Amino acid sequence: MWSEALSHHGKYVLLMSVISFGTMFQLGYVTAYPNTAFTEFKAFIYDSYERRGVTLTENHFNWIWSVVLNLWYPGCIVGTWATPFVAERFGRKVGLVVGNAIDVIATGVNVVGLLTHLPELVTVGRLLTGVGDGLAANCLTLFLQESAPTQIRGLVSGFQELSVTLSILIGMLFGLQYVLGESLWILTAVAAVPNCIAIAVMFFCPDTPKFLYLGKKSTIRATEALRFFHGTTHDVEECLQTISQESANEGKTSFREVWNSRSLRKAMLLGSVAFGLQLMTGTVPITLFSTELFRRAGFNSQGAEMGSIIMAMLNCLATALSLNFVDRCGRRLLLLVFGSLNVLSIAAYALFAELSEVTTWANFGLGPVPWYLTAELVPQKQRSYIQSIAFSANTVAGLFTGLLTLPLYGYFDAYSFIPLFIIPSIICLIYLFRQLPETKNKEIYEIVKELEAR
């Protein structure tokens, strides 16, 4: 699939990979580097309060650190719910540029907070990062879905998840003490570089053909966009005719309208459940706490850090390989198979962690499909709105799993994964098995019709 995409759509694939990595880098990177740079951040917070004559207890630090880490989530929800307004009124391109610009500003706030020993400013910066990430990530999903040729839509849309896994790996590596961990402001400032590259590249790109044709009613600009993204050899008239079949589904977008529509309601629930299943793989606690979990499992500090990095490398490699199959095997099959394997892997971990003092966490993950599945199930007019609902569900679930994992692990050890991950995963898998249609190589209007008929 990679070779075919590069040979027929080389320019487009390269362009989308750069935009995806630049846009999603901040989301994965800022989640990962606190994991391996934990000791340095802890020293920064203690030192900052000691300069004010305040001596922190361990309990006080835990609360402060929890707030610093998790304020990203409310910010992400704000950015996510700004997406329908920005994306529908100003376009997917503007949303991407604004989201990346907010991330650059947020990085600046973080750096100033670190240099001036103001943890409160770092907290504000992390909140702003969430706003930028929420807006940029959702607009990127729309941009990739609406600009990609149908036959490589799954591959290209998967660049989003691949970029996240790669940036998580980079974040964990850079957070090591002997890399950038001892210089927290440099470690933090690095995050803005890919955002700036993404902004620069976006200025040379048109908006998506679907937004220009259906949203702005501009045949000329949509035609130019199709030629820019798909090349001059593709049948533009045929593409426009296919796009036009989504326009029949236009209408007022509100939660009541979505809930009263059989196909839109199903799309919203399926997208939210797919995102939920992705979180039940344990991605949030793995990214935030894997080093600590490895320590509790019996590894020394260096071994725990290396264990976290190896897991990040495997996750990145698995995501890259999975892109070869999404347009061949289909989204439904991959979700169900790897979701089931993940349940088995977590169950095995919960069992063997209690039988052995040292164990590792074999985690399969779900690859890129949950990121773009919602956008494939929804017509143009409602796409940004329902994508925001599904991504909000993902963010809220991520917040709760991030907050609950370590405390419950402290009380129940690995058995805490049964209520946290295994039971919810099984419920999600049953629902997807019963309701999710296959979307590979299908136009959006065909998928919508199939949902209406189910």
Side-chain angles (χ1 to χ4, degrees), residues 205-227:
C205 294
D207 215 317
T208 69
K210 290 186 177 183
F211 173 75
L212 295 172
Y213 190 68
L214 299 178
K216 292 299 183 181
K217 311 297 183 185
S218 176
T219 303
I220 294 175
R221 293 174 64 191
T223 299
E224 292 173 349
L226 280 169
R227 287 174 176 161

Side-chain angles (χ1 to χ4, degrees), residues 15 205 279 365:
L15 188 64
C205 294
L279 279 171

Side-chain angles (χ1 to χ4, degrees), residues 3-273:
S3 59
E4 180 183 344
L6 288 171
S7 61
H8 292 91
H9 305 279
K11 169 194 162 185
Y12 175 76
V13 169
L14 177 61
L15 188 64
M16 293 303 108
S17 63
V18 172
I19 293 173
S20 297
F21 180 74
T23 299
M24 300 305 295
F25 181 83
Q26 182 98 227
L27 190 153
Y29 184 77
V30 302
T31 307
Y33 68 67
N35 188 331
T36 46
F38 172 77
T39 303
E40 289 74 19
F41 273 106
K42 185 175 183 178
F44 161 76
I45 292 174
Y46 272 100
D47 180 59
S48 298
Y49 279 91
E50 285 177 4
R51 289 168 180 253
R52 307 174 195 179
V54 178
T55 302
L56 292 180
T57 65
E58 186 72 17
N59 187 50
H60 287 152
F61 165 77
N62 288 337
W63 276 107
I64 292 170
W65 186 236
S66 179
V67 170
V68 171
L69 286 181
N70 290 293
L71 263 185
W72 180 91
Y73 290 98
C76 187
I77 291 175
V78 172
T80 296
W81 279 104
T83 301
F85 172 78
V86 176
E88 297 303 329
R89 176 163 295 192
F90 303 106
R92 283 69 166 127
K93 174 181 174 179
V94 171
L96 273 170
V97 172
V98 172
N100 278 285
I102 293 174
D103 276 344
V104 173
I105 295 170
T107 301
V109 172
N110 281 324
V111 170
V112 172
L114 289 167
L115 292 175
T116 57
H117 292 273
L118 290 173
E120 297 85 357
L121 208 53
V122 176
T123 304
V124 172
R126 196 163 179 88
L127 178 68
L128 286 175
T129 301
V131 175
D133 287 346
L135 177 59
N138 282 284
C139 286
L140 178 63
T141 301
L142 301 174
F143 195 87
L144 295 174
Q145 278 284 303
E146 296 177 6
S147 64
T150 302
Q151 61 272 25
I152 61 168
R153 190 176 64 216
L155 172 69
V156 172
S157 297
F159 289 169
Q160 192 163 12
E161 170 70 4
L162 179 60
S163 299
V164 173
T165 59
L166 183 57
S167 61
I168 287 173
L169 173 60
I170 294 172
M172 286 189 176
L173 285 170
F174 282 15
L176 293 172
Q177 186 177 14
Y178 47 83
V179 184
L180 293 178
E182 289 188 343
S183 182
L184 292 181
W185 77 268
I186 297 177
L187 174 67
T188 302
V190 167
V193 177
N195 290 125
C196 293
I197 294 173
I199 292 171
V201 172
M202 284 304 301
F203 276 111
F204 298 97
C205 294
D207 215 317
T208 69
K210 290 186 177 183
F211 173 75
L212 295 172
Y213 190 68
L214 299 178
K216 292 299 183 181
K217 311 297 183 185
S218 176
T219 303
I220 294 175
R221 293 174 64 191
T223 299
E224 292 173 349
L226 280 169
R227 287 174 176 161
F228 180 87
F229 290 124
H230 296 187
T232 57
T233 59
H234 288 261
D235 191 335
V236 172
E237 292 301 322
E238 182 180 349
C239 289
L240 290 177
Q241 186 177 3
T242 300
I243 292 173
S244 67
Q245 297 195 54
E246 290 189 40
S247 62
N249 296 290
E250 291 187 13
K252 179 183 177 183
T253 305
S254 66
F255 188 80
R256 177 178 294 180
E257 293 291 329
V258 169
W259 191 257
N260 289 337
S261 167
R262 181 181 179 87
S263 63
L264 295 179
R265 183 174 66 251
K266 280 190 174 182
M268 176 186 68
L269 293 174
L270 285 167
S272 299
V273 170

